[in-house]
Amino acid sequence: MSLMRCEGLGCRLSRHWVLRGIDLRVQAGERIALVGANGSGKTTLLRALHGLQALEEGRITWMAPTRQAMVFQRPHMMPARVRQQVSLSLWLAAKPLQRWPLGWAADAWAAWQAASEQTEGVLHQAHLHEQAHLPAQALSMGQRQRLAFALALARKPQVLFLDEPTAHLDPQGKRDMETRIREACEPDANGVSLTLIFSSHNLGQVKRLASRVWYVEHGAILADLPTERFFGEDLSASHPEAHAFLKGERE
C-alpha cells in the first residue's frame, strides 16, 4: 500500500541547497536505509520527511494520517531527572490540553497518571532503571539514544525515523539496538508492519535491517534499490557514484 510520495523536494539552509529534485515513493511496511558520506543530506531528508525541515520546493504527500516518531543522533534531554523526563515526554505526547479551557484540568491529570504508569515500561526497555534518579543530562550519549528509542516506541508510531541509531553504542549495545529495531518492525496482530526509514554509516547494519537503500550524495538520491541489489550487483555502470561509495572512494 502506498504510504507517502515526494515530488520535486528541495530544502535550503541559508543560501545553500541541501536537498533538491527528490522524487520518492514509500510503501507501508518498508525498511529503508539512507547511506552516503557525511554532509550528503541524509539527516535533512529525514527531518523533511518528518515535517521538521521547511521545504523550499516540492511537496510531501501522506496518503493517510500517520503516527510518526523520530530518534535523533544526539537526543536532547530536558533539565530534569530521568524518570521525570520520561513521564513529561509521555504526558506531552498525549496532548492532554486538547479540550482547553473546558475540562483541561481533568484531562491533564488523567494524562499524567497514564504517563506515570507507562514510565516504568520505558525505563525497563531502555535498561535505565538504575539511572532513573539521575539528571537526564548526565546520561551518556548511548544511554540517551536508548531512552529516546524507547520513548519513540511508546508512542506506537506507524512510521519511525532513526538518525544513526547506534552511532554512540558499544558493540553489545549495537546488537541489542538492532534486535529492538527488528522486533519493532515485526507485523502486529493485524499483520501491519512499522515503516522504518533510517540513516546509517554501518553498511553491515544496513544489510541486516533494510529492505531498500537510498544512496544520497550532494542532496540528491543517486540510487534507490532493493538491499540485495545494492550490495549484490556490480553498480559501476548503472550507479557509478554508489559503486564508488561502496569501494570506499567517496567519504
Side-chain angles (χ1 to χ4, degrees), residues 57-73:
E57 294 180 343
R59 63 180 179 177
I60 300 172
T61 304
W62 293 91
M63 302 300 108
T66 57
R67 292 188 307 277
Q68 302 179 19
M70 181 169 176
V71 178
F72 299 93
Q73 185 175 349

Side-chain angles (χ1 to χ4, degrees), residues 213-224:
V213 179
W214 294 342
Y215 172 66
V216 186
E217 184 174 312
H218 299 308
I221 294 181
L222 302 184
D224 178 1

Side-chain angles (χ1 to χ4, degrees), residues 31-36 198 203 206-207 210-216 221-231 245-246:
R31 304 183 309 279
I32 302 171
L34 283 71
V35 302
F198 70 102
L203 297 183
V206 171
K207 291 179 183 179
S211 60
R212 179 179 171 189
V213 179
W214 294 342
Y215 172 66
V216 186
I221 294 181
L222 302 184
D224 178 1
L225 296 168
T227 303
E228 61 272 16
R229 286 189 57 198
F230 186 83
F231 290 104
F245 171 76
L246 289 173

Side-chain angles (χ1 to χ4, degrees), residues 2 9 13 43 59 69 93 96 109 115 120 129-130 138 140 157 161 181 187 194 202 206 213 237:
S2 180
L9 180 65
L13 298 179
T43 297
R59 63 180 179 177
W109 177 244
E120 293 305 314
H129 264 115
E130 295 183 2
S140 70
F161 299 98
I181 293 172
L194 174 78
N202 185 329
V206 171
V213 179

Side-chain angles (χ1 to χ4, degrees), residues 131-147:
Q131 291 78 21
H133 66 286
L134 297 176
Q137 293 177 324
L139 295 177
S140 70
M141 198 58 65
Q143 289 171 327
R144 294 185 185 198
Q145 280 188 309
R146 295 205 312 266
L147 181 58

Side-chain angles (χ1 to χ4, degrees), residues 86-96 98 111 115 118 151 154-155:
V86 173
S87 296
L88 185 56
S89 297
L90 294 170
W91 182 74
L92 291 172
K95 300 179 181 178
Q98 285 182 335
Q118 281 186 278
L151 280 169
R155 300 188 66 180

Side-chain angles (χ1 to χ4, degrees), residues 11-62:
C11 298
R12 186 166 55 187
L13 298 179
S14 186
R15 298 182 178 180
H16 176 62
W17 286 97
V18 183
L19 301 171
R20 200 165 196 187
I22 291 181
D23 297 301
L24 295 171
R25 299 291 187 274
V26 175
Q27 301 295 315
E30 287 193 290
R31 304 183 309 279
I32 302 171
L34 283 71
V35 302
N38 287 329
S40 60
K42 301 187 299 297
T43 297
T44 303
L45 180 54
L46 287 174
R47 288 174 56 86
L49 294 177
H50 190 40
L52 298 178
Q53 177 66 50
L55 304 182
E56 293 287 336
E57 294 180 343
R59 63 180 179 177
I60 300 172
T61 304
W62 293 91

